[in-house]
């Protein structure tokens, strides 16, 4: 079964750090671009960060650039999100998602994890 | 950055109604546009890719259209299980796959 399972969320004080993990199974993890997407309580989806299959290309939303770092371990089939200098506005449900080539040059996120909650509060 | 704007932000409709949701991109994205459905407490589900192609397993009452900057998601006959939120997403930027603000559909 193709599956993504996030972990590492929790309650953290502003300014502190947290690392999220996403375990992949059931597919060739190293063949896929991966993303983190978050959703603040009662709000919409926000793309956070993406990483190419070999980590050669990485990008971040402006809201997290310089504070968050995405990485992956293809041998272990894990995706990570290191979150530093956390702010209250980072409070959200964090999903990891697989990007697939649906056809030709068209991409979409076809597999999602169940998500993990990050709460930033003093 | 490519900004995606959806309208309306919410709507209420009855079973059997035809429902239309629009999405506008801040620049031309050709047809690099995806639509997702999200039920409360669940992860999003891909409905449509390349603006008008139905993902496998998605009911044919869902359809998408548009190109350039203006796109539409249509549900031809709303069913009770279609409640939830709908999001457009541009895939023109290969890594920075930004979303629209979402449309909440209430029945």
């Amino acid at each position: 079964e193709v599956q993504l399972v996030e972990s590492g969320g929790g309650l953290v004080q502003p300014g502190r750090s947290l690392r999220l993990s996403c375990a992949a199974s059931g597919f060739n993890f190293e063949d896929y671009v991966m993303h983190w997407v978050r959703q603040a309580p009662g709000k919409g989806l926000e793309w956070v960060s993406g990483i190419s299959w070999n980590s050669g290309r990485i990008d971040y939303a402006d809201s997290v650039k310089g504070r968050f770092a995405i990485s992956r371990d293809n041998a272990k089939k894990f995706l990570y999100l290191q979150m530093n200098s956390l702010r209250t506005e980072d409070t959200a449900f964090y999903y990891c998602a697989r990007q697939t080539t649906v056809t030709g040059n068209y991409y979409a996120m076809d597999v999602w994890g169940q998500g993990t909650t990050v709460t930033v509060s003093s | 950055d490519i900004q995606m704007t959806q309208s309306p932000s919410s709507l209420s409709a009855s079973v059997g109604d035809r429902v239309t949701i629009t999405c506008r991109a801040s620049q031309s994205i050709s047809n690099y546009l995806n639509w997702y459905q999200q039920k409360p407490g669940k992860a999003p589900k891909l409905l449509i890719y390349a603006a008008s192609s139905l993902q496998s397993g998605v009911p044919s009452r869902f359809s998408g259209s548009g190109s350039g900057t203006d796109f539409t998601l249509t549900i031809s006959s709303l069913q009770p299980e279609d409640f939830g939120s709908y999001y457009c997403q541009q895939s023109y930027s290969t890594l920075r796959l930004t979303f629209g603000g979402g449309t909440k559909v209430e029945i």
Side-chain angles (χ1 to χ4, degrees):
Chain A
E1 181 190 3
V2 174
Q3 198 171 10
L4 296 170
V5 179
E6 302 93 336
S7 60
L11 173 64
V12 62
Q13 293 179 326
R16 304 298 291 264
S17 298
L18 205 60
R19 188 175 87 151
L20 304 183
S21 300
C22 171
S25 59
F27 64 99
N28 291 331
F29 178 72
E30 62 270 21
D31 289 341
Y32 291 87
V33 173
M34 298 295 296
H35 297 270
W36 288 99
V37 176
R38 69 183 181 183
Q39 187 168 33
K43 302 297 184 182
L45 301 172
E46 180 187 15
W47 174 82
V48 173
S49 182
I51 185 169
S52 63
W53 66 275
N54 64 351
S55 306
R57 292 185 62 218
I58 286 174
D59 201 3
Y60 301 96
D62 291 344
S63 58
V64 307
K65 194 173 290 185
R67 300 188 298 121
F68 288 13
I70 191 172
S71 61
R72 64 190 297 163
D73 185 330
N74 287 341
K76 295 181 178 178
K77 295 191 173 186
F78 268 84
L79 176 72
Y80 302 103
L81 187 67
Q82 177 67 42
M83 304 186 296
N84 300 325
S85 303
L86 281 162
R87 305 168 179 168
T88 54
E89 56 264 37
D90 295 318
T91 293
F93 207 64
Y94 285 74
Y95 294 100
C96 66
R98 184 181 83 171
Q99 175 180 311
T100 196
T101 300
V102 283
T103 183
N105 292 326
Y106 296 90
Y107 312 103
M109 296 177 184
D110 69 329
V111 178
W112 297 67
Q114 86 289 351
T116 187
T117 299
V118 172
T119 302
V120 184
S121 174
S122 55
Chain B
D1 274 16
I2 301 174
Q3 309 298 322
M4 307 301 294
T5 304
Q6 277 182 247
S7 62
S9 56
S10 66
L11 66 91
S12 182
S14 300
V15 172
D17 282 354
R18 182 181 183 88
V19 169
T20 299
I21 298 169
T22 63
C23 178
R24 175 165 287 178
S26 60
Q27 67 180 72
S28 177
I29 57 171
S30 183
N31 62 339
Y32 289 88
L33 195 282
N34 304 319
W35 289 98
Y36 297 84
Q37 176 194 61
Q38 186 183 32
K39 298 283 186 73
K42 299 293 187 181
K45 170 189 169 184
L46 177 65
L47 293 178
I48 288 172
Y49 60 91
S52 60
S53 296
L54 213 59
Q55 174 71 340
S56 176
V58 174
S60 59
R61 62 181 179 273
F62 290 93
S63 65
S65 65
S67 184
T69 60
D70 294 313
F71 302 88
T72 299
L73 172 69
T74 299
I75 308 173
S76 61
S77 177
L78 194 67
Q79 298 302 301
E81 60 267 30
D82 298 336
F83 79 94
S85 294
Y86 292 82
Y87 296 90
C88 63
Q89 177 197 48
Q90 62 81 19
S91 60
Y92 187 81
S93 306
T94 52
L95 262 190
R96 187 173 283 224
L97 305 185
T98 49
F99 293 92
T103 296
K104 186 175 183 179
V105 174
E106 297 172 311
I107 300 176

